[in-house]
Amino acid sequence: GEGSGGGEAFDAVLLTANTLFCTPRHAELLERCAGALRPGGALLFDVYNARDWHDDALADERDGGGEGEEEGEEEALVMAVDAAGREWTVYERDAEVEPHARRIRCRYDFVAASGERATQVNEHHYALPEQLSALLAAAGFEVERLCGGFEGEAFDEEESEHMVYRARLVR
């Protein structure tokens, strides 16, 4: 059948690894997902819970700046092997949070076993939990399940690092 967007209708749309936060146009992306789904279709996605980062950045603004970071031993985020067979260690650096713009810049440093180095900065455009609920409803979705992690943990806005959603298209 056809989706509400006029093309082929799908039973489900899956957005992984913070895809929703890779664009500042959350509403448009959710509308496009709705348009690709058959009535009753599922939207599955995960994003990080930016509540702590957001609140901490607002507090830093109020208090005149951050506390600074303690020096310590670096902990690798992940080890990877590229297409050329080179081994890389990836380090995630402290994020720069702009709470009024709802923007986070995450920096990743890559160090190859050969000593080669590279850096990548990803800019994310986050929404807080209550904003995501409103965006989903406006796009015609009803949240069926919200988990606080990938193992089905209950979501706690103050404690959960992730938000894993299953929403159903109801329009």
Coordinates of all heavy atoms in Angstrom, one line a residue, residues 3-89:
G3 N 2.1 4.9 1.7 CA 2.2 5.7 2.9 C 1.5 7.0 2.7 O 1.1 7.4 1.6
S4 N 1.3 7.8 3.8 CA 0.6 9.1 3.7 C 1.4 10.0 2.8 O 0.9 11.1 2.4 CB 0.3 9.6 5.1 OG 1.5 9.8 5.8
G5 N 2.7 9.7 2.6 CA 3.5 10.6 1.8 C 3.4 10.3 0.3 O 4.0 10.9 -0.5
G6 N 2.6 9.3 -0.1 CA 2.3 9.0 -1.5 C 3.2 7.9 -2.0 O 2.9 7.4 -3.1
G7 N 4.3 7.5 -1.4 CA 5.1 6.4 -1.8 C 4.7 5.1 -1.2 O 3.7 5.0 -0.6
E8 N 5.6 4.1 -1.3 CA 5.4 2.8 -0.7 C 5.3 2.9 0.8 O 6.1 3.7 1.4 CB 6.5 1.9 -1.1 CG 6.3 0.5 -0.6 CD 7.4 -0.5 -1.0 OE1 8.3 -0.1 -1.8 OE2 7.4 -1.6 -0.5
A9 N 4.4 2.2 1.4 CA 4.2 2.3 2.8 C 5.0 1.1 3.5 O 5.0 0.0 3.0 CB 2.7 2.1 3.2
F10 N 5.6 1.4 4.6 CA 6.4 0.5 5.3 C 5.7 0.2 6.7 O 5.0 1.0 7.2 CB 7.8 1.0 5.6 CG 8.6 1.2 4.3 CD1 8.5 2.4 3.6 CD2 9.3 0.1 3.7 CE1 9.2 2.5 2.4 CE2 10.0 0.3 2.6 CZ 10.0 1.5 1.9
D11 N 6.0 -1.0 7.2 CA 5.5 -1.4 8.5 C 6.3 -0.7 9.7 O 5.7 -0.5 10.7 CB 5.6 -2.9 8.7 CG 4.7 -3.7 7.8 OD1 3.6 -3.1 7.4 OD2 5.1 -4.8 7.4
A12 N 7.5 -0.4 9.4 CA 8.4 0.2 10.5 C 9.4 1.1 9.8 O 9.9 0.9 8.7 CB 9.0 -0.8 11.3
V13 N 9.8 2.1 10.6 CA 11.0 3.0 10.3 C 11.9 2.9 11.5 O 11.4 3.0 12.7 CB 10.6 4.4 10.0 CG1 11.8 5.4 9.9 CG2 9.7 4.5 8.8
L14 N 13.2 2.7 11.3 CA 14.2 2.6 12.3 C 15.2 3.7 12.2 O 15.9 3.8 11.1 CB 14.9 1.2 12.2 CG 16.0 0.9 13.2 CD1 15.5 1.0 14.6 CD2 16.6 -0.4 12.9
L15 N 15.4 4.5 13.2 CA 16.4 5.6 13.2 C 17.4 5.2 14.4 O 17.0 5.2 15.5 CB 15.8 6.9 13.5 CG 14.7 7.4 12.6 CD1 14.1 8.8 13.1 CD2 15.2 7.6 11.2
T16 N 18.6 4.9 14.0 CA 19.5 4.4 15.0 C 20.6 5.5 15.4 O 20.8 6.4 14.7 CB 20.3 3.1 14.5 OG1 21.0 3.5 13.4 CG2 19.3 2.0 14.2
A17 N 21.2 5.2 16.5 CA 22.4 6.0 16.9 C 22.3 7.5 16.8 O 23.0 8.2 16.2 CB 23.6 5.6 16.1
N18 N 21.2 8.0 17.5 CA 20.9 9.5 17.6 C 20.7 10.1 16.2 O 20.8 11.3 16.1 CB 22.1 10.2 18.2 CG 22.3 9.8 19.7 OD1 21.3 9.8 20.4 ND2 23.5 9.3 20.0
T19 N 20.2 9.4 15.2 CA 19.9 10.0 13.9 C 19.0 11.2 14.0 O 19.2 12.2 13.4 CB 19.2 8.9 13.0 OG1 20.1 7.8 12.8 CG2 18.9 9.5 11.7
L20 N 18.0 11.1 14.9 CA 17.1 12.3 15.1 C 17.8 13.5 15.5 O 17.4 14.6 15.0 CB 16.0 11.9 16.1 CG 14.9 13.0 16.3 CD1 14.1 13.2 15.0 CD2 14.0 12.6 17.4
F21 N 18.9 13.4 16.3 CA 19.6 14.6 16.8 C 20.6 15.1 15.8 O 21.3 16.0 16.1 CB 20.2 14.3 18.1 CG 19.2 14.2 19.3 CD1 19.6 13.9 20.5 CD2 17.9 14.4 19.1 CE1 18.7 13.8 21.6 CE2 17.0 14.3 20.1 CZ 17.4 14.0 21.4
C22 N 20.8 14.4 14.7 CA 21.8 14.8 13.7 C 21.2 16.0 12.8 O 22.0 16.5 12.0 CB 22.2 13.7 12.8 SG 23.2 12.5 13.7
T23 N 20.0 16.3 13.0 CA 19.4 17.4 12.2 C 18.7 18.4 13.2 O 18.1 17.9 14.2 CB 18.4 16.9 11.2 OG1 17.8 18.1 10.5 CG2 17.3 16.1 11.8
P24 N 18.7 19.7 12.9 CA 17.9 20.6 13.8 C 16.4 20.5 13.4 O 15.6 21.1 14.1 CB 18.5 22.0 13.5 CG 19.1 21.8 12.1 CD 19.5 20.4 12.0
R25 N 16.1 19.8 12.3 CA 14.7 19.8 11.8 C 14.0 18.5 12.3 O 13.6 17.7 11.5 CB 14.8 20.0 10.3 CG 15.4 21.3 9.9 CD 15.3 21.6 8.4 NE 15.4 20.5 7.5 CZ 16.4 20.3 6.7 NH1 17.5 21.0 6.7 NH2 16.3 19.3 5.9
H26 N 13.9 18.4 13.6 CA 13.2 17.2 14.2 C 11.8 17.0 13.6 O 11.5 15.9 13.3 CB 13.2 17.3 15.7 CG 14.5 17.4 16.3 ND1 14.8 18.4 17.3 CD2 15.7 16.8 16.1 CE1 16.0 18.3 17.7 NE2 16.6 17.3 17.0
A27 N 11.0 18.0 13.6 CA 9.6 17.9 13.2 C 9.6 17.4 11.8 O 8.7 16.6 11.4 CB 8.9 19.3 13.4
E28 N 10.4 18.0 10.9 CA 10.4 17.6 9.5 C 10.8 16.1 9.3 O 10.1 15.4 8.6 CB 11.3 18.5 8.7 CG 11.3 18.1 7.2 CD 12.3 19.0 6.4 OE1 12.6 20.1 6.8 OE2 12.8 18.5 5.4
L29 N 11.8 15.7 10.1 CA 12.2 14.3 10.0 C 11.1 13.3 10.5 O 10.8 12.3 9.8 CB 13.5 14.0 10.8 CG 14.0 12.6 10.8 CD1 14.2 12.0 9.3 CD2 15.3 12.5 11.6
L30 N 10.4 13.7 11.6 CA 9.3 12.9 12.1 C 8.2 12.8 11.1 O 7.5 11.8 11.0 CB 8.9 13.3 13.5 CG 10.0 13.1 14.6 CD1 9.6 13.8 15.9 CD2 10.2 11.6 14.8
E31 N 7.9 14.0 10.5 CA 6.8 14.0 9.5 C 7.1 13.1 8.3 O 6.3 12.4 7.8 CB 6.6 15.4 9.0 CG 5.8 16.3 9.9 CD 4.3 15.9 10.1 OE1 3.7 15.3 9.2 OE2 3.8 16.2 11.2
R32 N 8.4 13.1 7.9 CA 8.8 12.2 6.8 C 8.7 10.7 7.2 O 8.3 9.9 6.4 CB 10.2 12.5 6.3 CG 10.2 13.8 5.5 CD 11.6 14.2 5.1 NE 11.6 15.4 4.3 CZ 11.9 15.5 3.0 NH1 12.2 14.4 2.4 NH2 11.9 16.6 2.4
C33 N 9.0 10.4 8.4 CA 8.9 9.1 8.9 C 7.4 8.7 8.9 O 7.0 7.6 8.4 CB 9.4 8.9 10.3 SG 11.2 9.0 10.4
A34 N 6.5 9.6 9.4 CA 5.1 9.3 9.3 C 4.6 9.1 7.9 O 3.8 8.2 7.7 CB 4.3 10.5 10.0
G35 N 5.1 9.9 7.0 CA 4.7 9.7 5.6 C 5.1 8.4 4.9 O 4.5 8.0 3.9
A36 N 6.1 7.8 5.5 CA 6.6 6.5 4.9 C 5.9 5.3 5.5 O 6.1 4.2 5.0 CB 8.1 6.4 5.1
L37 N 5.2 5.5 6.6 CA 4.6 4.4 7.3 C 3.1 4.2 6.8 O 2.4 5.1 6.5 CB 4.6 4.7 8.8 CG 5.9 4.5 9.5 CD1 5.8 5.1 10.9 CD2 6.4 3.1 9.5
R38 N 2.7 2.9 6.9 CA 1.3 2.6 6.7 C 0.6 3.0 8.0 O 1.2 3.1 9.1 CB 1.1 1.1 6.5 CG 1.5 0.2 7.6 CD 1.1 -1.2 7.5 NE 1.6 -2.0 8.6 CZ 1.1 -2.0 9.8 NH1 0.1 -1.2 10.2 NH2 1.6 -2.8 10.7
P39 N -0.7 3.1 8.0 CA -1.4 3.4 9.3 C -1.1 2.3 10.3 O -1.1 1.1 10.0 CB -2.9 3.4 8.9 CG -2.9 3.8 7.4 CD -1.6 3.1 6.9
G40 N -0.8 2.7 11.5 CA -0.5 1.8 12.6 C 1.0 1.3 12.6 O 1.4 0.5 13.4
G41 N 1.8 1.9 11.6 CA 3.2 1.5 11.5 C 4.0 2.0 12.7 O 3.6 2.9 13.4
A42 N 5.2 1.4 12.9 CA 6.0 1.7 14.1 C 7.2 2.5 13.7 O 7.8 2.3 12.7 CB 6.5 0.3 14.7
L43 N 7.5 3.4 14.6 CA 8.7 4.2 14.5 C 9.6 3.8 15.7 O 9.1 3.9 16.9 CB 8.4 5.7 14.6 CG 9.7 6.6 14.7 CD1 10.6 6.5 13.5 CD2 9.2 8.1 15.0
L44 N 10.8 3.3 15.5 CA 11.7 2.9 16.5 C 13.0 3.8 16.4 O 13.5 3.9 15.3 CB 12.1 1.4 16.3 CG 10.9 0.5 16.1 CD1 11.3 -0.8 15.4 CD2 10.3 0.2 17.4
F45 N 13.4 4.3 17.5 CA 14.6 5.2 17.5 C 15.2 5.3 18.9 O 14.5 5.1 19.9 CB 14.3 6.6 16.9 CG 13.5 7.5 17.7 CD1 14.0 8.4 18.6 CD2 12.1 7.4 17.6 CE1 13.2 9.3 19.3 CE2 11.3 8.3 18.4 CZ 11.9 9.2 19.2
D46 N 16.4 5.6 18.9 CA 17.1 5.9 20.2 C 17.8 7.3 20.0 O 18.3 7.6 19.0 CB 18.1 4.8 20.5 CG 19.3 4.8 19.6 OD1 19.2 4.2 18.4 OD2 20.4 5.3 19.9
V47 N 17.9 7.9 21.2 CA 18.6 9.2 21.3 C 19.2 9.2 22.7 O 18.7 8.5 23.6 CB 17.8 10.4 21.1 CG1 17.3 10.6 19.6 CG2 16.5 10.5 22.0
Y48 N 20.2 10.0 23.0 CA 20.6 10.2 24.4 C 19.7 11.1 25.1 O 19.0 12.0 24.5 CB 22.1 10.6 24.4 CG 22.4 11.9 23.6 CD1 22.1 13.1 24.1 CD2 22.9 11.8 22.3 CE1 22.3 14.3 23.3 CE2 23.1 12.9 21.6 CZ 22.9 14.1 22.1 OH 23.1 15.2 21.3
N49 N 19.7 11.0 26.4 CA 18.9 11.9 27.3 C 19.8 13.1 27.6 O 20.7 12.9 28.4 CB 18.5 11.1 28.5 CG 17.7 12.0 29.5 OD1 17.3 13.1 29.2 ND2 17.4 11.5 30.6
A50 N 19.5 14.2 27.0 CA 20.4 15.4 27.2 C 20.0 16.2 28.4 O 20.6 17.2 28.6 CB 20.2 16.3 25.9
R51 N 19.1 15.7 29.2 CA 18.7 16.5 30.4 C 19.8 16.9 31.3 O 19.9 18.1 31.6 CB 17.6 15.6 31.2 CG 17.3 16.2 32.6 CD 16.6 17.6 32.5 NE 15.3 17.4 31.9 CZ 14.6 18.4 31.4 NH1 15.1 19.7 31.4 NH2 13.4 18.3 30.8
D52 N 20.7 16.0 31.7 CA 21.8 16.4 32.6 C 22.7 17.4 31.9 O 23.1 18.4 32.5 CB 22.6 15.2 33.0 CG 22.0 14.4 34.1 OD1 21.1 14.9 34.7 OD2 22.5 13.2 34.3
W53 N 23.1 17.2 30.6 CA 24.0 18.1 29.9 C 23.3 19.5 29.9 O 24.0 20.5 30.1 CB 24.3 17.6 28.5 CG 25.3 16.5 28.5 CD1 26.1 16.0 29.5 CD2 25.6 15.7 27.3 NE1 26.9 15.0 29.0 CE2 26.6 14.8 27.7 CE3 25.2 15.7 26.0 CZ2 27.1 13.9 26.8 CZ3 25.7 14.8 25.1 CH2 26.7 13.9 25.5
H54 N 22.1 19.5 29.5 CA 21.3 20.7 29.4 C 21.3 21.5 30.7 O 21.6 22.7 30.8 CB 19.9 20.4 28.9 CG 19.0 21.6 28.7 ND1 19.1 22.4 27.6 CD2 18.1 22.1 29.5 CE1 18.2 23.4 27.8 NE2 17.6 23.2 28.9
D55 N 20.8 20.8 31.8 CA 20.7 21.5 33.1 C 22.1 21.9 33.6 O 22.2 23.0 34.2 CB 20.0 20.5 34.1 CG 18.6 20.3 33.7 OD1 18.0 21.0 32.9 OD2 18.0 19.4 34.4
D56 N 23.1 21.1 33.4 CA 24.5 21.5 33.9 C 25.0 22.7 33.1 O 25.6 23.6 33.7 CB 25.5 20.3 33.7 CG 25.3 19.2 34.6 OD1 24.5 19.3 35.6 OD2 25.9 18.1 34.4
A57 N 24.7 22.8 31.8 CA 25.1 24.0 31.0 C 24.4 25.2 31.5 O 25.0 26.3 31.6 CB 24.9 23.7 29.5
L58 N 23.1 25.1 31.8 CA 22.4 26.3 32.3 C 22.9 26.7 33.7 O 23.1 27.9 33.9 CB 20.9 25.9 32.4 CG 20.1 25.8 31.1 CD1 18.7 25.4 31.4 CD2 20.1 27.1 30.3
A59 N 23.2 25.7 34.5 CA 23.8 26.0 35.8 C 25.2 26.7 35.7 O 25.5 27.7 36.4 CB 23.9 24.8 36.7
D60 N 26.0 26.2 34.8 CA 27.3 26.8 34.5 C 27.1 28.3 34.1 O 27.9 29.2 34.5 CB 28.1 26.1 33.5 CG 28.6 24.7 34.0 OD1 28.6 24.5 35.2 OD2 29.1 23.9 33.1
E61 N 26.2 28.6 33.2 CA 25.9 29.9 32.8 C 25.5 30.8 34.0 O 26.0 31.9 34.1 CB 24.8 30.0 31.8 CG 25.1 29.6 30.4 CD 24.0 29.7 29.4 OE1 22.9 30.2 29.8 OE2 24.2 29.4 28.2
R62 N 24.6 30.3 34.8 CA 24.2 31.0 36.0 C 25.3 31.3 37.0 O 25.5 32.4 37.6 CB 23.1 30.2 36.8 CG 21.7 30.7 36.7 CD 20.8 30.0 37.6 NE 21.1 28.7 38.0 CZ 20.7 27.6 37.3 NH1 20.0 27.6 36.2 NH2 21.1 26.4 37.8
D63 N 26.2 30.3 37.2 CA 27.3 30.4 38.1 C 28.6 30.9 37.6 O 29.6 31.0 38.3 CB 27.6 29.0 38.7 CG 26.3 28.4 39.4 OD1 25.4 29.1 39.8 OD2 26.3 27.1 39.5
G64 N 28.6 31.3 36.3 CA 29.8 31.9 35.8 C 30.8 31.0 35.2 O 32.0 31.4 35.0
G65 N 30.4 29.8 34.8 CA 31.3 28.9 34.1 C 31.4 27.6 34.7 O 30.9 27.3 35.8
G66 N 32.1 26.7 34.0 CA 32.2 25.3 34.5 C 33.3 25.1 35.5 O 34.1 26.0 35.8
E67 N 33.3 23.9 36.1 CA 34.3 23.7 37.1 C 35.6 23.2 36.6 O 36.6 23.1 37.3 CB 33.8 22.5 38.0 CG 32.5 22.9 38.7 CD 31.8 21.6 39.3 OE1 32.5 20.6 39.4 OE2 30.7 21.8 39.8
G68 N 35.7 23.0 35.3 CA 37.0 22.5 34.7 C 37.0 20.9 34.9 O 36.3 20.4 35.7
E69 N 37.9 20.3 34.1 CA 38.0 18.9 34.2 C 39.2 18.5 34.9 O 40.3 19.1 34.8 CB 38.0 18.3 32.7 CG 36.7 18.5 32.0 CD 35.6 17.7 32.6 OE1 35.8 16.6 33.0 OE2 34.5 18.3 32.8
E70 N 39.1 17.4 35.6 CA 40.3 16.8 36.3 C 41.1 16.1 35.3 O 40.6 15.4 34.4 CB 39.8 15.9 37.4 CG 39.1 16.6 38.6 CD 38.7 15.6 39.6 OE1 39.3 14.5 39.7 OE2 37.8 15.9 40.4
E71 N 42.4 16.1 35.5 CA 43.3 15.3 34.6 C 43.3 13.9 35.1 O 43.2 13.6 36.3 CB 44.7 15.9 34.6 CG 44.9 17.2 34.0 CD 44.6 17.2 32.5 OE1 45.1 16.2 31.8 OE2 44.0 18.1 32.0
G72 N 43.3 13.0 34.2 CA 43.3 11.6 34.6 C 43.6 10.7 33.4 O 43.9 11.2 32.3
E73 N 43.6 9.4 33.6 CA 44.0 8.5 32.6 C 42.8 8.5 31.5 O 41.6 8.5 31.9 CB 44.1 7.1 33.2 CG 44.7 6.1 32.2 CD 45.0 4.8 32.9 OE1 45.6 4.8 34.0 OE2 44.7 3.8 32.3
E74 N 43.2 8.5 30.3 CA 42.2 8.5 29.2 C 41.6 7.1 29.1 O 42.3 6.1 29.3 CB 42.8 8.8 27.9 CG 43.3 10.2 27.8 CD 43.8 10.6 26.4 OE1 44.7 9.8 25.9 OE2 43.3 11.5 25.8
E75 N 40.3 7.1 28.9 CA 39.6 5.8 28.7 C 39.1 5.8 27.3 O 38.4 6.7 26.8 CB 38.4 5.7 29.7 CG 37.8 4.3 29.6 CD 36.7 4.1 30.7 OE1 36.9 4.7 31.8 OE2 35.7 3.4 30.4
A76 N 39.4 4.7 26.5 CA 38.9 4.6 25.1 C 37.4 4.4 25.1 O 36.9 3.7 25.9 CB 39.7 3.5 24.5
L77 N 36.8 5.0 24.1 CA 35.4 4.8 23.9 C 35.2 3.5 23.1 O 34.3 2.7 23.5 CB 34.8 6.0 23.0 CG 33.4 5.9 22.6 CD1 32.4 5.9 23.8 CD2 33.0 7.0 21.6
V78 N 36.0 3.3 22.1 CA 35.9 2.1 21.3 C 37.2 1.8 20.5 O 38.0 2.7 20.3 CB 34.7 2.2 20.3 CG1 35.0 3.2 19.2 CG2 34.3 0.9 19.7
M79 N 37.4 0.6 20.2 CA 38.6 0.2 19.3 C 37.9 -0.1 18.0 O 36.9 -0.8 17.9 CB 39.3 -1.0 19.8 CG 39.8 -0.8 21.3 SD 41.2 0.4 21.4 CE 42.5 -0.5 20.7
A80 N 38.6 0.3 16.9 CA 38.0 0.0 15.5 C 39.1 -0.3 14.5 O 40.3 0.0 14.8 CB 37.3 1.3 15.1
V81 N 38.7 -1.0 13.5 CA 39.6 -1.3 12.4 C 39.0 -0.7 11.1 O 37.8 -1.0 10.8 CB 39.8 -2.8 12.2 CG1 40.7 -3.1 11.0 CG2 40.4 -3.4 13.5
D82 N 39.8 0.1 10.4 CA 39.2 0.7 9.2 C 39.3 -0.2 8.0 O 39.9 -1.4 8.1 CB 39.8 2.1 8.9 CG 41.3 2.0 8.5 OD1 41.8 1.0 8.2 OD2 41.9 3.1 8.6
A83 N 38.8 0.2 6.8 CA 38.8 -0.6 5.6 C 40.2 -1.0 5.2 O 40.4 -2.0 4.5 CB 38.1 0.1 4.5
A84 N 41.2 -0.2 5.5 CA 42.6 -0.5 5.1 C 43.3 -1.4 6.1 O 44.5 -1.8 6.0 CB 43.4 0.8 5.0
G85 N 42.5 -1.8 7.2 CA 43.1 -2.8 8.2 C 43.8 -2.1 9.3 O 44.4 -2.8 10.2
R86 N 43.8 -0.7 9.4 CA 44.5 0.0 10.4 C 43.6 -0.1 11.7 O 42.4 0.1 11.6 CB 44.7 1.4 10.0 CG 45.7 1.6 8.9 CD 45.8 3.0 8.5 NE 44.5 3.5 8.0 CZ 44.3 4.7 7.6 NH1 45.3 5.6 7.5 NH2 43.1 5.1 7.2
E87 N 44.3 -0.3 12.8 CA 43.6 -0.3 14.1 C 43.6 1.1 14.7 O 44.6 1.8 14.7 CB 44.3 -1.3 15.1 CG 44.2 -2.7 14.6 CD 44.9 -3.6 15.6 OE1 45.4 -3.2 16.7 OE2 45.1 -4.8 15.2
W88 N 42.4 1.5 15.2 CA 42.3 2.8 15.8 C 41.7 2.7 17.2 O 40.8 1.9 17.4 CB 41.3 3.7 15.0 CG 41.8 4.0 13.6 CD1 41.7 3.2 12.5 CD2 42.5 5.2 13.2 NE1 42.3 3.9 11.4 CE2 42.8 5.1 11.8 CE3 42.9 6.3 13.9 CZ2 43.5 6.1 11.1 CZ3 43.6 7.3 13.2 CH2 43.8 7.2 11.8
T89 N 42.1 3.6 18.1 CA 41.5 3.8 19.4 C 40.7 5.1 19.3 O 41.3 6.1 18.9 CB 42.5 3.8 20.5 OG1 43.3 2.6 20.5 CG2 41.8 4.0 21.9

